[in-house]
Amino acid sequence: MQQEMTLHAAYLHYWITGSEPEPGEVPRGAGQQRENGRAAVLEASEEHPGLVIRTGVQHGDIPALVRVHESEPELDEAGWDEIVEGDLHAESYVQLSNLDGQLQEFDLPWPGYGDESNWRVRLSVKGADDSLSVAYAEDGHELTEQHRIDMWPAPEGGLRWLKKDARGFRKPQ
């Protein structure tokens, strides 16, 4: 399965869950910073099972490609600034949502791995730093942030960085 979609960032993030949060329940990451001073792009949530995705754009739409695979896809690093993997428990569908209540969901074409319905999620991000630097610039600039989300059934593997963006966020000139 492959689907192009527009992800909606609100307050510098959105989240991916395999079930609908209860009213008032919001997935939150720990907000930890990496050694380069940049907030982790992908974090596991403690409040509600899911993954919290940090974005470069504070509020807005991010073009994305979502791909669901039967097994782990080949790693494609070309053109991506950062690539990270995490775990998601989902039985039949996945939701992408944010603090503004904007919601998208898609059905999973087959069961996840084992009784836990575990899926690996690989997030590839590019242009997040550029989005931050042009967000406050003159009109006429276009945001360049893009995401690709790859998912496949697999046992838990924890958070794992496959490609780290060595830069901290660039500041507007």
Side-chain angles (χ1 to χ4, degrees):
M1 179 195 107
Q2 180 170 304
Q3 181 177 350
E4 290 185 16
M5 59 176 50
T6 301
L7 304 175
H8 307 290
Y11 304 97
L12 295 169
H13 74 284
Y14 64 91
W15 57 78
I16 303 173
T17 62
S19 62
E20 189 169 349
E22 295 293 325
E25 184 181 41
V26 174
R28 284 182 171 65
Q32 296 175 345
Q33 291 193 338
R34 295 205 336 249
E35 62 277 1
N36 66 0
R38 179 179 180 165
V41 69
L42 184 92
E43 298 179 85
S45 173
E46 296 296 326
E47 274 95 16
H48 182 82
L51 297 169
V52 177
I53 315 302
R54 302 284 172 204
T55 62
V57 61
Q58 183 170 1
H59 292 276
D61 296 335
I62 299 170
L65 179 63
V66 176
R67 305 185 309 179
V68 181
H69 310 268
E70 290 186 52
S71 60
E72 182 176 357
E74 186 175 319
L75 179 62
D76 172 18
E77 294 184 42
W80 298 101
D81 299 326
E82 191 158 8
I83 303 172
V84 62
E85 288 180 5
D87 296 303
L88 179 68
H89 297 287
E91 292 184 15
S92 60
Y93 68 96
V94 172
Q95 289 189 336
L96 299 115
S97 190
N98 66 26
L99 285 170
D100 286 343
Q102 294 169 317
L103 174 71
Q104 291 180 301
E105 62 182 46
F106 60 90
D107 292 328
L108 294 167
W110 51 81
Y113 180 85
D115 293 338
E116 296 297 321
S117 299
N118 200 67
W119 293 80
R120 287 296 286 169
V121 176
R122 180 181 296 158
L123 174 70
S124 303
V125 176
K126 64 181 169 183
D129 293 329
D130 301 325
S131 295
L132 184 67
S133 65
V134 301
Y136 305 101
E138 297 176 16
D139 290 339
H141 289 286
E142 291 196 21
L143 299 179
T144 59
E145 186 166 356
Q146 294 180 28
H147 291 192
R148 185 179 69 204
I149 299 170
D150 289 291
M151 295 180 58
W152 64 95
E156 287 188 18
L159 291 177
R160 185 171 75 136
W161 272 261
L162 304 174
K163 184 175 184 180
K164 290 185 180 182
D165 187 347
R167 306 169 293 176
F169 282 126
R170 290 192 298 265
K171 302 294 182 202
Q173 299 294 335

